[in-house]
Amino acid sequence: MSADTESAYRTPRGQQIVRDWCTRRLDRWPVSHRRRDLHTTHGHTHLLTAGPATGPRTVVMIPGTSANAATYLPLAEALAAHLPTVIADLPGQPGLSAPERPRADRLTWYGHWLSEVLEATGIDRAIVLGHSLGGAIALACDSPRIAGRVLIAPGGLTRLRLGVATLAATLAWMARPTPRTSAALVRRFLAPGHTPPPDLAEWYTLIARHCRTTLAPPALPAPLLARRRLVPALVATGEHDTFLPPRRLSPAAEALLNTGLRVIPDAGHLVTDEHPETVAALVNELAGLPDPAP
């Protein structure tokens, strides 16, 4: 590891603990799927593939910060019900891909990585689905293989906001990562009244103990975002998103991507967990699929 890179993990043992958690989750997932490692110049990349062998489009899911395919299984199942689906674990984030990430200019690095993944897999006319950090990466990537972007609570358009209550929950979680403090943090990412899933609280406990956190992605340059208007995009966020509330994200989506914001009711920042079918419906809409019969 060079001075210009860092590992997502504090120790090799912590890396193995996180990898084992992800592998067990995927091994228990009842949906038919395939897994493989893709070798890229940015480190090996773990790909999960599910859904039909062919379709009008392939959806490529790019996870958010400290997330991976194993943490998006409800969404993966909803996506794979209609379209060929690929979820790529991010190098330099907790999961099954390479642990190293650059210390600076990460969005450019990740944009190049995504271009390489699309090229190496031969996926053409892809619908790229990006959540949070994954949305910023989708916007940073200029691959001609992208036919559309579905951006869920995306970074890259405007700075993420950290309210006082969320900051307090974050500091408590970092200082003493337990199931209780992890659940309290995850609750801040959900709509009011929603209960944190036990597996997510367990995951957040693991990453606080064994991983190095990363800062929220910065806003991308306006000229770059203007070029992204050439490709269709849908932007959505939860009604109660604590990081990117609709009142902040809507003007940015309008001004920078020339698109309106879809607000998903009864959802927070983790709308991908709260309403996976709604997110899948947005992907199907951009892919041109008809609404499913009632």
Side-chain angles (χ1 to χ4, degrees), residues 65 132-133 153-163 215-219 241-245 248 269:
T65 302
S132 195
L133 170 62
L157 291 180
T158 186
R159 294 183 64 86
L160 276 67
R161 180 181 70 98
L162 194 63
L215 297 175
D241 192 315
T242 188
F243 297 116
L244 290 164
R248 294 186 66 245
H269 189 67

Side-chain angles (χ1 to χ4, degrees), residues 52-140:
T54 61
R57 294 285 186 272
T58 296
V59 55
V60 178
M61 166 74 188
I62 308 301
T65 302
S66 298
N68 53 65
T71 66
Y72 282 105
L73 294 183
L75 176 58
E77 183 172 0
L79 294 168
H82 302 282
L83 291 169
T85 298
V86 177
I87 303 182
D89 283 13
L90 292 170
Q93 293 291 331
L96 297 176
S97 288
E100 289 81 21
R101 61 193 177 212
R103 295 181 185 275
D105 202 15
R106 287 178 181 164
L107 287 184
T108 298
W109 188 85
Y110 276 123
H112 291 162
W113 162 82
L114 178 53
S115 291
E116 191 172 346
V117 168
L118 294 172
E119 189 69 28
T121 56
I123 298 173
D124 203 9
R125 306 288 295 162
I127 301 296
V128 175
L129 167 63
H131 177 224
S132 195
L133 170 62
I137 293 170
L139 288 167

Side-chain angles (χ1 to χ4, degrees), residues 1-291:
M1 186 167 58
S2 73
D4 296 329
T5 63
E6 66 177 7
S7 173
Y9 305 98
R10 301 181 190 277
T11 65
R13 178 178 176 273
Q15 178 179 353
Q16 191 59 53
I17 289 171
V18 168
R19 289 181 63 87
D20 288 346
W21 187 92
C22 295
T23 300
R24 287 194 301 270
R25 286 267 297 174
L26 295 176
D27 285 345
R28 294 196 300 263
W29 194 38
V31 175
S32 177
H33 66 280
R34 300 164 297 286
R35 289 178 253 167
R36 68 182 178 108
D37 273 348
L38 178 71
H39 294 282
T40 78
T41 58
H42 298 73
H44 72 84
T45 296
H46 177 268
L47 301 179
L48 178 145
T49 303
T54 61
R57 294 285 186 272
T58 296
V59 55
V60 178
M61 166 74 188
I62 308 301
T65 302
S66 298
N68 53 65
T71 66
Y72 282 105
L73 294 183
L75 176 58
E77 183 172 0
L79 294 168
H82 302 282
L83 291 169
T85 298
V86 177
I87 303 182
D89 283 13
L90 292 170
Q93 293 291 331
L96 297 176
S97 288
E100 289 81 21
R101 61 193 177 212
R103 295 181 185 275
D105 202 15
R106 287 178 181 164
L107 287 184
T108 298
W109 188 85
Y110 276 123
H112 291 162
W113 162 82
L114 178 53
S115 291
E116 191 172 346
V117 168
L118 294 172
E119 189 69 28
T121 56
I123 298 173
D124 203 9
R125 306 288 295 162
I127 301 296
V128 175
L129 167 63
H131 177 224
S132 195
L133 170 62
I137 293 170
L139 288 167
C141 179
D142 63 356
S143 172
R145 292 179 176 270
I146 298 177
R149 295 178 176 87
V150 177
L151 309 170
I152 306 298
L157 291 180
T158 186
R159 294 183 64 86
L160 276 67
R161 180 181 70 98
L162 194 63
V164 174
T166 302
L167 177 60
T170 301
L171 293 176
W173 166 73
M174 293 175 66
R176 187 177 174 82
T178 65
R180 182 184 63 81
T181 59
S182 297
L185 178 62
V186 173
R187 189 172 288 110
R188 303 299 309 170
F189 303 158
L190 304 173
H194 288 196
T195 301
D199 55 347
L200 269 186
E202 181 182 35
W203 172 249
Y204 272 81
T205 302
L206 279 183
I207 60 176
R209 290 174 177 172
H210 301 297
C211 301
R212 296 185 175 96
T213 58
T214 56
L215 297 175
L220 289 160
L224 180 151
L225 292 171
R227 294 194 295 273
R228 299 300 180 257
R229 297 178 186 176
L230 301 175
V231 174
L234 291 178
V235 182
T237 196
E239 176 186 11
H240 303 283
D241 192 315
T242 188
F243 297 116
L244 290 164
R247 67 180 181 276
R248 294 186 66 245
L249 188 56
S250 181
E254 289 273 5
L256 297 168
L257 295 180
N258 197 30
T259 186
L261 177 68
R262 310 287 186 94
V263 178
I264 300 175
D266 192 37
H269 189 67
L270 293 182
V271 60
T272 47
D273 285 86
E274 295 169 290
H275 299 292
E277 295 288 349
T278 301
V279 175
L282 293 176
V283 174
N284 294 343
E285 178 184 337
L286 200 61
L289 292 183
D291 290 336

